[in-house]
Amino acid sequence: METVPEPGSNVPPKKDRLQTKKKKPRRYWEQETTGTAAGASPGPPRKRKRNRELRPQKPKKNDTSKKFRMSKKPRELKSPRPQRSLSGAQDPFAGPAPVSVEVVQKYCRIDKSKELPHPKTKTRSRLVVAEAQEEETSVRAARSELLLTEEPGFLEGEDGEDTAKIRQADIVEAVDIASAAKHFDLNLRQFGPYRLNYSRTGRHLAFGGRRGHVAALDWVTKKLTCEINVMEAVRDIRFLHSEALLAVAQNRWLHIYDNQGIELHCVRRCDRVTRLEFLPFHFLLATASETGFLTYLDVSVGKIVAALNARAGRLSVMTQNPYNAVIHLGHSNGTVSLWSPAMKEPLVKILCHRGGVRAVAVDSTGMHMATSGLDHQLKVFDLRGTFQPLSARTLPQGAGHLAFSQRGLLAAGMGDVVNIWAGQGKASPPSLEQPYLTHRLSGHVHGLQFCPYEDVLGVGHSGGITSMLVPGAAEPNFDGLESNPYRSRKQRQEWEVKALLEKVPAELICLDPRALAEVDVISLEQAKKERAERLGYDPDARTPFQPKPKQKGRSSTASLVKRKRKVMDQEHRDKIRQSLEQQLQKQEKAKPTGARPSALDRFVR
Amino acid sequence: MNANQAAESLLASNQQKELEDLPKDYPLSTSEDEGDKDEERKHQKLLESISSLNGKDRQKLADRSEASLKVSEFSVSSEGSGEKLVLSDLLEPVKTSSSLAAVKKQLNRVKSKKTVELPLHREEIERAGTPLEQEIFNLLHKNKQPVTDPLLTPVEKASLKAMSLEEVKMRRAELQRARALQSYYEARARREKRIKSKKYHRILKKGKAKQALKDFEKLQKVNPAAALEELEKLDKARMMERMSLKHQNSGKWAKSKAIMAKYDLEARQAMQEQLARNKELTQKVAASESEEEGEGQEEEEEPLVPDLVNEVQIKANGLNPWMFRNHFIDAKEAEVQKDLEDPAEPEAQETSESEEEKAVVEEETLLKEFEERRSLRQKSELNHMAEPVHRRVTKDPSSQEVLSDLRALCQKLSTENHQSGKQELSSARTAQREEPAREEEEPMLLQRPERARTLDELEELGREGCVENEELPRTAVEGLQLEKNLSNHIGAPKEKKRKEQMIDLQNLLTTKSPSVKSLAVPTTVQELEDEEERDQRQIIKEAFAGDDVIRDFLKEKREAVEASKPKDLDLTLPGWGEWGGIGLKPSAKKRRRFLIKAPEGPPRKDKNLPNVIINEKRNTHAAAHQVQVLPHPFTHHQQFERTIQTPGSTWNTQRAFQKLTMPKVVTKPGHIIKPIKAEDVGYRSSSRSDLSVIQRNPKRLSIRHKKHLENNCVD
């Protein structure tokens, strides 16, 4: 709605002399009113005017997009007539702000490198429109980056200083009070090693001790929402879609509590659960059990969507891929299997370690997976199709827990030590050569999670809970509509409804989430074939060339045949040309490129 | 054959002597007519014998002629014609017939050519060179028989004049008797020949051979020179045999027998016999003689054809050679008895008795004696085990060679029929293995050679590269071996490939990754120094040595790959077009014909990723949410996909989303939308049409048109 008047403001004033002040496109209701005022007779000219007015809209759109594309150049030269303000002063930065091409490129989703089969004119116009739209939207997205005001934190040692040597106390000393408050220790030695979980907004923290201690708190304000003892071993704890619901994997069954600590549900179909994972966009709670079953529970309707038998014994290692909601399970035979509720068999099985897999973590972009095994190795795998290890490292003691931060930092809990590795940027894998930070805890690590939108790593251990400061770990900017840490209760409720409306069906979970934007080729072909069978002929098949009938004796049989022959020959030539080209390409490919050409080669015959 | 031939030649010479004797005994004494007849008969006989030499014209003999006293006076009947048979007619070529006209023409043409005559003439001369021909010519010339002119010879003329009636009658009677006898013998010989009992013939042959041998010995004593000649003849026959390789298994008969051998005991025996004959013929006589001498008294009775071959063969088929041996001997004895009885039956029927008959009886009694002696000897062998071993050992090489020959043949045949070949092989092998067992006198050891046999067979199998046969009796061990063999042979390339993959995977998992030098080492690890670390690593390695993760994974992957492969469709109907039933499989050809091979799918995504199994199954649940029909203007799915890349508010900013979803037509509630007029759409074109109308007939312009025109002009 915004753009329509804006470009209109640029162009029409030149031609529209009569109505200089009204720049809005004319609508039928406006015409009606004016028509009634002015009479019926001057209808046609007015319409023509409207036509003229409307016609330039199309090129206008293109113009704007072109402007966006060449946005690196200063804008003043482009605008034909700078807009005058009331005061008469000229705007030195007229028009929309420039956008860098790289950022725009980031939001482009059409892969233009792919060659399309030659389209018909009608199709081509559609494609042109689609590309223009995509460009415009990507420009808009790029422009909206202006709103990401916050910058990620960082930690830099003085020249040559190893950041790993910097202790938490130093960091706390250096940072501001608000940030320093984020570092804290909870000494809870009584109820054993703790598992912990941050809510999606990063505002709330829930933790459960092995000996039944379950608590949830707003960790920023340190306001306790509930604290109970379930009088049963707690294996894992997880927030559901909001901080109001809490799933606790207890010794026997899966229980769901609200933020008051009231038990809402006891899901007996999920028994002996060892690990929990919540898929926020699908509203699925994935549970891995001792019996070897991976169960998907739809928390919005309370139904079990799928119960998959992994056939690999006890499941105690599980994580989710935040990019495509695929569940990764680690097994004792050194493999990691990827699961979707739509498939009974694992989507992929990767042999990662010689010993059993102890921990698995996937980064937020869904590109890298870190695994650690009983063979004391820590490996980072590429998940983009190849599933090959990018880097590997032998640790003095194998990592029992792994976690990726939003910006791709990798934390590993080994015994009572936490090591954190950092990569180059957001999407790059963590380089395992030098640890970014290390920290020693008062007990053995039992749970690790980076807090979303806060540079904080929560560590649950046998001595309680530790909240570590890890500069540059989290995404500095949050989407207020998606997960707003500062949202009110009302906002949360609003968001809940919207999220429920936008719930993604469970069966859509697959390795490539963009597969939905593709045509189902197999069923398309099948339908085509069936249609051809039904009709007895293929309606899409190319009809043989039929020369048009001509007059004045030029449609004689001989000339018809001649024309036909002409077309046929042309086709034949094209075919031959193509095949020749292909052959040439093949030959070029086959040519060995290793040896440098010798000067004596010219004499070789 | 050697002995047989010798015997036959001897017999023939005897007969010839007889025949020759006859005219000598009665020179010119008979009446003219009778003498003439007699000579005619002789001549006819000669011709017959000549023709029978060829061997192919045996069918010309009358099918059946009973031995009876009623014998036609003339061997060549001229009944019906009533004409007198003339010798010159007989000597003339075949009567011209219409069917032979063409041949005649050809012959004439040939005759007309001069060059052809000469060799023919020479041939004639040569023919006279052979002893029989000479005899014929002698006869003809002796009697001064006019060859061309059908007139009486001078002797005939003389005899016509010389003979008295009584003499003639006597002579005639004598001649009649001789003729009757001859016809009787002929008939008998024919009958004997037509006896189908192979045993009988075998024994007869043996008897003849023995007879010949005996004669030969006699001859050696009486006339050493003749014996030497005879020996030379034998040697020559051997040489011929060696050169011709006639008794190798290359002949048509031998091949057919070899095929039959697996079903038919007799055929097998025949084959054995032939091989033995070949063996024997190709052996040097002198050596065998020396051997015989060395062997001593026992060997005298050894026939030229060793019976052992047959024995061995029979035993090879039997289960227990020890048991079988006795049985066989008994059977043989019974056989001999039967044979003795068999010829006796016709004897009883016969009315006349002669020396020849006696000779036959003698021969048979001899045969019987020999057999008895032999059986006695064998029994003694059974009693004293040590002795026969010695003898048998001397025999073994030959028999084993025969067996080797047989094996070779079987291998040749095995291409056609694996099974039979194997059976033969196995039998041959058992035969070979028997010897040591016999030496040890342990019948219970029979199991061992059998097992060895099968193992050997397996080796053989491996060499031949043929597929596992389920019908073979197998122990578990053998089965294992077989599996190994199979895997070695068939799965060799696969194994190699797998190995390559394995190496890759090993590398992948065992590459030494640099260890982290961390400032903060976990407390439990802190005390550990490098060596201890290494120790720990060792411990870990040992701990995981048992469970081979890699192998398991590869196995799993292989299974997954197999499972995902498209399956071939087998449409064979067992029993359709051939015999069906339990244990019968449709032929390979048929299976090939009705096997619809599944098209090879696209290559697996994890083809080059040894450590990954990617599920190739289609997610049908997700596919249900995908677009399945191409919208109109698009001809290819890629084109359409390009237009749906920026969907919804999730991927776009709020403003962009609003713009993308803005309707093409915006209406305002509460306002009337008037229907479209023609003028709204394109009044210019309408005005143009008006103009055209004007141009065509300007006179008929309506007022409305004029108004319109005016309006346009104003614009």
Side-chain angles (χ1 to χ4, degrees):
Chain A
M1 297 293 170
E2 180 198 52
T3 46
V4 177
E6 198 183 21
S9 64
N10 284 339
V11 189
K14 290 183 245 169
K15 291 151 196 174
D16 212 346
R17 279 154 277 149
L18 298 173
Q19 298 181 330
T20 39
K21 278 178 188 175
K22 283 254 176 178
K23 288 162 220 162
K24 275 174 85 180
R26 306 187 114 247
R27 302 295 186 196
Y28 61 90
W29 56 87
E30 291 163 0
Q31 183 231 324
E32 203 176 55
T33 50
T34 48
T36 46
S41 58
R46 194 162 283 178
K47 269 162 207 161
R48 214 190 306 158
K49 208 194 293 167
R50 198 185 71 191
N51 280 352
R52 238 183 260 155
E53 221 173 46
L54 287 172
R55 227 171 272 150
Q57 270 192 346
K58 253 192 187 176
K60 250 187 271 164
K61 269 182 201 167
N62 286 350
D63 276 356
T64 49
S65 66
K66 261 172 206 163
K67 274 174 215 158
F68 288 138
R69 219 180 292 161
M70 305 167 200
S71 52
K72 282 216 161 174
K73 288 175 188 174
R75 275 287 297 140
E76 298 94 319
L77 297 174
K78 274 277 160 183
S79 56
R81 190 191 289 176
Q83 208 173 2
R84 282 180 180 276
S85 61
L86 266 177
S87 61
Q90 278 192 357
D91 181 9
F93 305 105
V99 198
S100 83
V101 180
E102 288 85 47
V103 182
V104 173
Q105 208 62 47
K106 195 168 75 180
Y107 293 103
C108 278
R109 294 199 179 84
I110 292 177
D111 184 11
K112 275 163 191 155
S113 64
K114 270 186 197 167
E115 277 291 311
L116 278 187
H118 191 69
K120 286 192 266 179
T121 35
K122 254 188 192 174
T123 325
R124 198 181 301 142
S125 66
R126 283 265 196 125
L127 288 172
V128 166
V129 168
E131 273 173 33
Q133 276 180 349
E134 190 248 4
E135 200 160 307
E136 197 184 331
T137 51
S138 59
V139 166
R140 277 180 187 281
R143 185 152 289 148
S144 70
E145 277 206 344
L146 188 75
L147 302 171
L148 310 176
T149 51
E150 299 295 322
E151 281 181 4
F154 58 90
L155 182 65
E156 269 179 5
E158 286 164 12
D159 37 45
E161 196 193 1
D162 191 0
T163 50
K165 281 182 182 169
I166 299 169
R167 293 181 302 162
Q168 281 292 307
D170 303 336
I171 297 170
V172 169
E173 246 175 52
V175 296
D176 57 312
I177 305 165
S179 299
K182 286 169 189 168
H183 172 71
F184 61 89
D185 264 309
L186 297 179
N187 280 322
L188 305 161
R189 297 212 160 269
Q190 203 181 345
F191 294 107
Y194 280 88
R195 296 279 303 171
L196 81 168
N197 182 234
Y198 288 100
S199 67
R200 258 181 75 72
T201 56
R203 182 82 182 192
H204 294 265
L205 171 69
F207 51 85
R210 167 86 60 74
R211 294 181 190 114
H213 179 211
V214 171
L217 70 158
D218 181 348
W219 69 272
V220 181
T221 56
K222 315 283 187 306
K223 203 178 117 192
L224 192 69
T225 50
C226 74
E227 185 173 21
I228 49 171
N229 197 325
V230 296
M231 306 302 287
E232 205 178 3
V234 171
R235 299 255 184 64
D236 203 359
I237 188 164
R238 192 120 323 217
F239 276 116
L240 296 189
H241 56 279
S242 73
E243 57 270 17
L245 290 170
L246 197 61
V248 180
Q250 292 180 17
N251 193 29
R252 192 82 189 276
W253 291 309
L254 173 71
H255 293 257
I256 291 172
Y257 299 90
D258 73 349
N259 55 0
Q260 302 301 310
I262 298 163
E263 186 186 311
L264 299 176
H265 300 288
C266 171
V267 187
R268 289 188 187 169
R269 285 194 60 191
C270 303
D271 61 332
R272 306 211 161 271
V273 175
T274 52
R275 284 287 178 271
L276 292 170
E277 238 359 292
F278 185 72
L279 310 175
F281 298 108
H282 305 80
F283 284 85
L284 290 178
L285 182 69
T287 61
S289 70
E290 267 180 359
T291 52
F293 273 89
L294 170 65
T295 314
Y296 286 89
L297 175 71
D298 191 334
V299 295
S300 64
V301 291
K303 259 189 187 171
I304 284 179
V305 171
L308 311 169
N309 190 356
R311 291 199 187 80
R314 187 177 191 270
L315 302 174
S316 56
V317 182
M318 176 164 76
T319 190
Q320 67 163 307
N321 186 339
Y323 173 63
N324 54 15
V326 166
I327 292 288
H328 292 227
L329 293 176
H331 303 295
S332 58
N333 60 356
T335 59
V336 170
S337 55
L338 278 59
W339 294 84
S340 146
M343 300 281 274
K344 291 276 173 204
E345 292 93 33
L347 301 170
V348 179
K349 256 190 175 186
I350 314 160
L351 181 61
C352 297
H353 293 278
R354 297 204 65 186
V357 178
R358 287 179 74 189
V360 181
V362 183
D363 79 334
S364 58
T365 58
M367 286 183 188
H368 310 296
M369 174 178 75
T371 61
S372 82
L374 280 171
D375 54 357
H376 290 197
Q377 291 226 318
L378 174 65
K379 289 181 181 180
V380 179
F381 282 82
D382 188 1
L383 283 183
R384 293 168 296 180
T386 60
F387 305 101
Q388 297 301 305
L390 296 170
S391 55
R393 199 90 188 167
T394 308
L395 305 173
Q397 194 186 7
H401 298 271
L402 291 172
F404 266 110
S405 83
Q406 279 179 326
R407 283 177 59 79
L409 268 64
L410 177 64
M414 307 168 286
D416 57 349
V417 165
V418 172
N419 265 21
I420 297 158
W421 291 274
Q424 301 305 321
K426 201 199 166 193
S428 66
S431 60
L432 299 178
E433 269 119 46
Q434 281 286 327
Y436 177 61
L437 274 179
T438 52
H439 183 59
R440 187 182 301 285
L441 304 156
S442 56
H444 279 254
V445 179
H446 196 62
L448 269 181
Q449 199 192 357
F450 279 100
C451 179
Y453 309 112
E454 294 283 357
D455 285 348
V456 162
L457 171 67
V459 185
H461 50 88
S462 50
I465 302 284
T466 300
S467 176
M468 271 175 69
L469 289 185
V470 184
E475 196 61 56
N477 300 293
F478 55 86
D479 184 350
L481 293 171
E482 198 53 50
S483 49
N484 184 1
Y486 307 110
R487 68 187 172 191
S488 64
R489 189 158 159 258
K490 203 75 198 158
Q491 276 175 323
R492 196 192 73 208
Q493 285 166 354
E494 201 74 23
W495 167 84
E496 208 170 340
V497 171
K498 275 182 185 164
L500 278 168
L501 285 173
E502 284 177 357
K503 190 182 97 171
V504 184
E507 62 258 31
L508 278 181
I509 297 175
C510 54
L511 273 181
D512 181 17
R514 290 199 69 83
L516 200 65
E518 285 167 6
V519 176
D520 184 14
V521 181
I522 294 169
S523 49
L524 183 72
E525 295 291 323
Q526 183 69 25
K528 242 186 206 174
K529 208 191 275 176
E530 275 170 11
R531 189 168 163 229
E533 259 173 35
R534 202 172 53 240
L535 293 173
Y537 71 99
D538 189 5
D540 299 330
R542 228 174 113 221
T543 48
F545 172 73
Q546 197 62 41
K548 278 179 192 165
K550 288 188 176 177
Q551 284 178 340
K552 294 181 186 171
R554 273 175 292 181
S555 197
S556 70
T557 321
S559 77
L560 280 180
V561 169
K562 237 184 236 170
R563 274 187 279 160
K564 251 188 190 174
R565 173 61 50 78
K566 223 178 178 178
V567 173
M568 257 170 61
D569 286 350
Q570 187 58 42
E571 280 171 359
H572 190 71
R573 255 175 259 133
D574 286 347
K575 234 181 234 172
I576 288 172
R577 211 164 285 146
Q578 273 184 2
S579 70
L580 276 175
E581 272 170 20
Q582 280 175 358
Q583 275 182 2
L584 271 176
Q585 278 176 356
K586 267 186 192 174
Q587 279 176 358
E588 274 171 26
K589 272 181 192 173
K591 265 181 194 171
T593 52
R596 274 172 65 188
S598 157
L600 299 173
D601 278 350
R602 72 191 73 170
F603 301 112
V604 175
R605 273 182 193 171
Chain B
M1 199 45 104
N2 209 355
N4 264 353
Q5 275 176 349
E8 270 167 15
S9 65
L10 281 171
L11 281 170
S13 65
N14 283 344
Q15 277 175 355
Q16 272 178 10
K17 269 172 199 166
E18 267 181 28
L19 287 170
E20 275 168 10
D21 285 348
L22 273 170
K24 274 174 195 170
D25 291 343
Y26 314 101
L28 307 176
S29 60
T30 49
S31 68
E32 194 189 302
D33 185 24
E34 277 176 355
D36 188 14
K37 286 273 171 68
D38 193 22
E39 269 164 17
E40 254 184 49
R41 190 178 62 83
K42 274 182 202 164
H43 188 233
Q44 191 59 38
K45 214 170 163 58
L46 265 174
L47 284 175
E48 267 178 21
S49 65
I50 288 161
S51 67
S52 69
L53 274 176
N54 196 4
K56 281 175 187 170
D57 301 338
R58 260 173 256 158
Q59 298 99 311
K60 278 178 187 172
L61 289 168
D63 256 355
R64 177 149 182 88
S65 60
E66 283 292 280
S68 64
L69 285 173
K70 222 182 167 187
V71 179
S72 77
E73 211 166 333
F74 311 104
S75 57
V76 181
S77 69
S78 56
E79 50 184 35
S81 65
E83 287 172 1
K84 194 195 172 190
L85 193 75
V86 189
L87 191 63
S88 61
D89 278 348
L90 288 173
L91 284 173
E92 260 176 16
V94 195
K95 223 179 175 183
T96 55
S97 66
S98 61
S99 63
L100 289 171
V103 182
K104 201 180 166 188
K105 262 185 196 172
Q106 277 183 344
L107 273 171
N108 280 337
R109 215 177 294 151
V110 168
K111 267 181 191 169
S112 69
K113 285 178 184 172
K114 295 254 171 181
T115 46
V116 188
E117 269 182 12
L118 257 174
L120 274 174
H121 191 64
R122 201 186 288 164
E123 247 181 37
E124 253 180 14
I125 292 159
E126 273 177 358
R127 205 185 292 157
T130 60
L132 267 169
E133 299 288 317
Q134 271 175 354
E135 274 170 24
I136 294 160
F137 277 95
N138 276 342
L139 268 171
L140 287 173
H141 288 297
K142 211 192 280 166
N143 297 335
K144 285 174 186 160
Q145 181 79 17
V147 182
T148 49
D149 203 52
L151 282 176
L152 296 172
T153 55
V155 183
E156 277 171 344
K157 280 169 190 166
S159 63
L160 271 173
K161 286 167 192 170
M163 237 177 241
S164 68
L165 192 68
E166 280 169 20
E167 268 177 336
V168 168
K169 274 181 181 170
M170 267 181 65
R171 171 99 179 108
R172 196 177 179 177
E174 257 181 325
L175 273 175
Q176 272 179 346
R177 191 172 163 267
R179 237 173 274 145
L181 262 177
Q182 197 201 350
S183 69
Y184 160 71
Y185 280 125
E186 271 175 9
R188 188 174 171 237
R190 225 168 284 150
R191 208 172 47 244
E192 271 179 14
K193 212 177 183 182
R194 289 187 64 222
I195 289 172
K196 279 185 180 169
S197 166
K198 280 171 184 163
K199 266 179 206 165
Y200 167 75
H201 280 289
R202 210 186 307 138
I203 284 158
L204 196 73
K205 261 189 222 167
K206 267 178 215 164
K208 273 179 187 170
K210 270 162 215 163
Q211 187 61 41
L213 208 70
K214 223 177 240 174
D215 287 347
F216 177 74
E217 272 165 20
K218 225 179 267 172
L219 201 69
Q220 219 172 6
K221 276 168 197 166
V222 178
N223 190 358
L228 212 70
E229 221 169 89
E230 204 68 20
L231 206 69
E232 254 173 42
K233 247 188 216 169
L234 284 177
D235 212 30
K236 200 174 179 184
R238 185 182 67 83
M239 279 156 73
M240 291 290 280
E241 170 66 25
R242 277 179 77 97
M243 279 162 76
S244 68
L245 300 173
K246 200 177 167 189
H247 287 90
Q248 226 82 35
N249 283 307
S250 50
K252 207 178 191 179
W253 176 86
K255 273 177 191 166
S256 72
K257 279 287 175 246
I259 290 163
M260 288 297 286
K262 66 171 174 176
Y263 306 113
D264 194 1
L265 193 77
E266 275 175 351
R268 205 176 304 156
Q269 277 175 352
M271 210 166 63
Q272 293 275 312
E273 236 168 279
Q274 203 205 14
L275 284 167
R277 174 148 296 157
N278 175 46
K279 190 80 226 152
E280 187 236 318
L281 280 171
T282 47
Q283 232 169 17
K284 275 214 163 189
V285 181
S288 69
E289 265 180 3
S290 69
E291 204 181 306
E292 275 169 16
E293 278 164 17
E295 280 300 304
Q297 185 252 337
E298 260 187 7
E299 290 304 306
E300 274 184 10
E301 287 112 16
E302 274 305 306
L304 279 169
V305 181
D307 291 349
L308 200 83
V309 177
N310 294 332
E311 275 178 37
V312 161
Q313 181 51 39
I314 289 155
K315 263 179 259 159
N317 296 322
L319 289 169
N320 191 340
W322 299 92
M323 293 296 289
F324 196 84
R325 198 173 154 70
N326 284 330
H327 179 72
F328 174 66
I329 288 158
D330 290 348
K332 207 161 193 184
E333 272 176 358
E335 214 175 74
V336 168
Q337 291 287 339
K338 227 171 146 191
D339 282 344
L340 285 172
E341 281 163 23
D342 270 349
E345 280 167 4
E347 248 178 288
Q349 286 170 2
E350 275 165 21
T351 49
S352 66
E353 63 283 319
S354 61
E355 293 102 20
E356 276 90 351
E357 257 183 51
K358 274 175 198 165
V360 166
V361 172
E362 267 176 26
E363 191 185 297
E364 272 161 6
T365 47
L366 248 171
L367 219 155
K368 190 186 166 189
E369 268 175 32
F370 166 70
E371 284 297 334
E372 272 169 3
R373 242 187 285 170
R374 201 169 153 225
S375 64
L376 265 172
R377 191 187 65 213
Q378 277 168 349
K379 269 171 195 164
S380 73
E381 272 174 22
L382 267 179
N383 293 336
H384 319 280
M385 267 337 214
E387 262 182 24
V389 167
H390 167 65
R391 194 177 140 264
R392 219 151 282 278
V393 165
T394 55
K395 282 277 165 252
D396 275 342
S398 69
S399 68
Q400 274 179 1
E401 271 176 12
V402 169
L403 287 170
S404 71
D405 280 1
L406 190 68
R407 209 179 305 152
L409 192 77
C410 288
Q411 271 170 354
K412 230 186 274 171
L413 275 171
S414 66
T415 50
E416 293 167 12
N417 199 331
H418 282 301
Q419 216 176 318
S420 71
K422 262 175 257 160
Q423 269 184 5
E424 286 293 321
L425 265 174
S426 66
S427 62
R429 272 162 203 284
T430 39
Q432 275 183 320
R433 307 262 162 189
E434 267 165 40
E435 308 308 325
R438 208 173 285 169
E439 276 179 329
E440 286 159 45
E441 295 185 9
E442 276 185 22
M444 295 310 286
L445 274 179
L446 206 67
Q447 276 189 330
R448 196 199 62 179
E450 184 159 26
R451 188 181 294 158
R453 178 200 82 189
T454 41
L455 279 173
D456 281 347
E457 256 174 68
L458 283 172
E459 280 174 23
E460 203 80 301
L461 254 172
R463 233 176 286 143
E464 284 172 15
C466 60
V467 205
E468 156 192 30
N469 190 0
E470 283 160 9
E471 282 167 39
L472 269 174
R474 279 184 288 137
T475 60
V477 184
E478 286 158 18
L480 261 177
Q481 172 120 359
L482 196 72
E483 266 183 10
K484 264 185 202 168
N485 272 0
L486 278 173
S487 67
N488 280 343
H489 281 269
I490 296 158
K494 218 189 259 178
E495 200 81 357
K496 206 175 176 183
K497 201 176 159 192
R498 237 177 266 150
K499 202 168 264 178
E500 281 175 15
Q501 214 180 39
M502 189 94 122
I503 289 161
D504 190 7
L505 201 50
Q506 287 275 8
N507 281 340
L508 200 80
L509 286 187
T510 54
T511 37
K512 209 186 164 200
S513 49
S515 57
V516 170
K517 284 277 161 73
S518 168
L519 285 174
V521 184
T523 36
T524 49
V525 190
Q526 218 163 20
E527 299 85 46
L528 290 173
E529 286 172 26
D530 274 16
E531 283 174 40
E532 284 176 53
E533 234 173 84
R534 211 171 298 146
D535 278 357
Q536 206 188 9
R537 220 172 288 158
Q538 198 66 35
I539 289 161
I540 290 164
K541 236 181 222 175
E542 278 164 16
F544 296 124
D547 41 36
D548 196 346
V549 173
I550 295 167
R551 208 181 56 194
D552 288 351
F553 188 81
L554 283 175
K555 195 183 161 198
E556 200 178 332
K557 181 165 182 181
R558 220 176 303 136
E559 279 166 7
V561 168
E562 282 300 313
S564 74
K565 261 185 192 166
K567 303 279 180 298
D568 293 351
L569 190 63
D570 194 359
L571 292 176
T572 36
L573 288 172
W576 190 258
E578 62 191 358
W579 287 107
I582 298 159
L584 280 177
K585 271 191 222 160
S587 66
K589 190 184 163 195
K590 195 178 171 190
R591 261 180 283 149
R592 218 182 307 127
R593 175 145 161 36
F594 289 103
L595 188 78
I596 297 172
K597 282 211 167 174
E600 215 165 279
R604 278 183 73 89
K605 280 181 221 156
D606 57 6
K607 203 179 75 180
N608 298 321
L609 309 171
N611 66 327
V612 186
I613 306 170
I614 297 176
N615 196 345
E616 300 270 303
K617 269 187 192 157
R618 193 161 155 251
N619 186 354
T620 46
H621 298 290
H625 291 268
Q626 285 181 320
V627 179
Q628 295 179 351
V629 184
L630 270 186
H632 162 57
F634 301 103
T635 50
H636 202 272
H637 66 91
Q638 283 174 347
Q639 294 166 353
F640 177 62
E641 275 164 17
R642 209 162 252 209
T643 60
I644 54 170
Q645 290 296 311
T646 50
S649 59
T650 322
W651 274 266
N652 294 313
T653 56
Q654 186 63 22
R655 284 293 162 94
F657 174 66
Q658 279 176 349
K659 199 182 170 195
L660 284 173
T661 54
M662 190 177 71
K664 272 183 187 169
V665 179
V666 185
T667 58
K668 198 177 180 185
H671 288 268
I672 299 160
I673 304 170
K674 279 190 176 174
I676 302 168
K677 287 175 214 158
E679 288 139 6
D680 289 343
V681 184
Y683 73 77
R684 242 190 204 169
S685 67
S686 68
S687 70
R688 237 178 243 151
S689 69
D690 288 347
L691 277 172
S692 68
V693 168
I694 295 159
Q695 278 163 359
R696 271 176 212 159
N697 42 0
K699 280 172 194 172
R700 262 196 270 167
L701 267 177
S702 63
I703 302 157
R704 193 168 64 85
H705 277 127
K706 274 178 186 169
K707 265 186 187 173
H708 229 110
L709 265 176
E710 277 169 19
N711 269 341
N712 280 343
C713 288
V714 168
D715 271 12

